[in-house]
Amino acid sequence: MGGQPRGPGRGPRRRTPARPARTRRQTRLALTLCLNYGGRAELTRAARALAHRAATGQIHPARIHEADLAAQLSLPDLPDVDLLWRTGGEHRVSNFLPWHAAYAELHFTDALWPDTDRRDLWQAVTPTPAAGAATAALRACPSGPGPTAPAAV
């Protein structure tokens, strides 16, 4: 088992119970597309920026927290990814938003992106017995697209 032990304080355990309540009535989804993007390169730039801040005395290395690294990312205000949907038959995340997608549900389909439609989206977001907290709020979603849904997403 890797990682550092976490003591009491402000951590994910304190924020997690409030999240489903805050998002219960939301009916919108945010779609994030990254073009000419590399997750490792983004993390390297963020680490380089933190190293520079430490070398110039702006921050003490022992006091660097996750939020400090997150603030150096290309899109620091981008929320965490709930669902990472990979099209085209690939079954890997391919360097896509490694920081933001750390706890994402993963969905893989054989269809290519231009060929997907609302029915594919509904299949991706419909909770299954194996689905976790990221799709739990969708159980309250009023209805799916149905069989007569338009072909465009």
Side-chain angles (χ1 to χ4, degrees), residues 40-115:
R40 287 182 176 180
E42 179 183 35
L43 292 175
T44 301
R45 283 190 303 273
R48 188 179 303 122
L50 280 178
H52 175 74
R53 290 183 60 205
T56 58
Q58 298 174 43
I59 191 169
H60 191 278
R63 296 190 187 274
I64 294 175
H65 298 283
E66 288 182 12
D68 297 311
L69 181 65
Q72 302 301 317
L73 297 174
S74 301
L75 298 170
D77 296 327
L78 183 71
D80 284 345
V81 173
D82 289 319
L83 172 69
L84 194 151
W85 177 3
R86 180 66 196 257
T87 60
E90 295 289 341
H91 288 241
R92 56 195 175 110
V93 295
S94 298
N95 201 21
F96 182 74
L97 295 173
W99 181 269
H100 297 92
Y103 295 102
E105 297 285 336
L106 304 176
H107 181 76
F108 302 102
T109 60
D110 290 331
L112 297 173
W113 175 251
D115 300 327

Side-chain angles (χ1 to χ4, degrees), residues 111-137:
L112 297 173
W113 175 251
D115 300 327
T116 58
D117 62 22
R118 286 180 165 187
R119 291 171 293 232
D120 297 306
L121 174 62
W122 187 249
Q123 182 181 9
V125 300
T126 300
T128 64
T135 55

